[in-house]
Amino acid sequence: MDLLEETVVPEAARDIKQEAREFAAEHIEPNAAEYYERGEYPVDILEQGMEAGLVAQDIGEEYGGRGLSLQQVLAMAEEFYKADAGIALTLQLASFGAEMLEDHGNEEQKEEYLRPVAENEQLTGLAVSEPETGSDMAGMQTTAEKDGDEYVLNGEKYWIGNGVEADWVTVYAKTGDDPNNRYGNYSLFIVPTDTDGYDAEHIPEKMGFRASKQAHIVFDDCRVPEENVIGHEGAGFYMLAEFFNHGRVIVAGHGLGLAAAAIEEGWDFVHDREAFGKSVDEFQAVQHKLADMRMEFESARALTWRAADKVANQENAGFWAAMAKTKATEVSTQCAEKGMQLHGGRSVLTENRISRVYRDVRIPVIYEGANDIQRNLIYSQTPQ
Ligand SMILES: Cc1cc2nc3c(=O)[nH]c(=O)nc-3n(C[C@H](O)[C@H](O)[C@H](O)COP(=O)(O)OP(=O)(O)OC[C@H]3O[C@@H](n4cnc5c(N)ncnc54)[C@H](O)[C@@H]3O)c2cc1C
């Protein structure tokens, strides 16, 4: 069964999809269970991904990357996440947020910070969420106050992928206090992680995505030069909103990969298991579960690839991205739930892939904007 078959994928994304599939089969799948148990950052697999030219390659060729398109990164996401979500997130997060530097930064910034990420010499991350605020992007409290030709950052960020491992992170901080212009109060900064006043530690162990690492960052009078502002002061919210449209299509790919893993596991299990003197797959109730899983998966996949085109062409991008992210990640939770039921008691053995998938699917329904927030966006951005 090839759930991630390529006919829905545009021609231009099929070669990289194949590369990602082969990489996942050789490097991710065989190591998934072990990394899940150990909960360690998979440095060796990240390095293999870099050697294979599959890490941070959405960055343009002029800055040392492969210039992979949204559809190409989506095709990779499906394959990687089917193999293991935690390792996949680590592979795909090496350049997280750097796309905004590429789109809005100046040449000096791109040469100094973007090129090393594209050439896999450095890692980066995106620091938006805070301990007390995740969904309300116009309610974040970390401040960046201008002092001469520097900005002084104070506050905390939470859940930040690569916050410990990265060489620099893109930080979203408050630079204004205008209650009538809530969205214009924020800016983005390039912050090298060895700057005085930057302190990061890993957050506590998670139940899912075990091979990915997130950080709690504290900024204590952390000074960065004004040259480190991306775009211009006050533009942070808008750059982020645009960036998340791309990100949410990719997160839909996270959901599709996980849903495919759940369907594959459920299917295989019931064909290998006997009850009441026959193979479990012969019971109609079991067949209906598998039929429902497949229908929902195909619906979500069709929507996601449609959304990818819409977002790439900037046609009501926010609306389509939010729909794809919500549908695909929720289908992954439904497929995982049914996949568990089909496994009977064995579903809860932590060593079984279905139980890993079941724990992983809880996460993409939250990150890159909780699905309740996506529903707000879908309604408010419905084209009239
Ligand atoms: C594994 C993982 C990796 C992550 N990586 C990153 C990262 O690299 N960088 C980063 O910046 N962040 C990251 N995040 C953070 C993530 O984006 C936030 O968790 C998410 O935006 C939700 O914020 P919150 O957890 O503060 O939930 P809250 O904002 O506290 O919301 C809690 C719940 O309240 C409900 N809710 C809140 N507001 C509304 C509303 N207006 N309407 C309807 N319902 C609402 C929703 O059900 C929501 O799930 C990561 C999170 C996880 C779990």
Side-chain angles (χ1 to χ4, degrees), residues 89 93 96 126-136 158-161 206 209 212 214 363 366-373 376:
L89 186 65
L93 224 66
F96 191 44
L126 174 62
V128 178
S129 307
E130 301 188 351
E132 303 304 326
T133 325
S135 300
D136 183 6
Y158 204 76
W159 289 116
I160 310 311
K206 305 184 298 297
F209 276 64
S212 71
Q214 288 76 31
I363 292 178
I366 299 297
Y367 65 30
E368 212 106 347
N371 284 5
D372 306 275
I373 300 296
N376 296 345

Side-chain angles (χ1 to χ4, degrees), residues 247-291:
R248 285 173 186 149
V249 171
I250 312 293
V251 174
H254 302 183
L256 293 172
L258 283 162
I263 296 171
E264 199 174 81
E265 281 300 290
W267 182 278
D268 287 350
F269 187 86
V270 297
H271 283 79
D272 286 344
R273 181 100 180 142
E274 290 202 356
F276 297 90
K278 50 179 165 178
S279 174
V280 169
D281 73 279
E282 290 176 42
F283 297 111
Q284 197 177 44
V286 167
Q287 295 170 357
H288 284 185
K289 274 195 187 61
L290 287 163

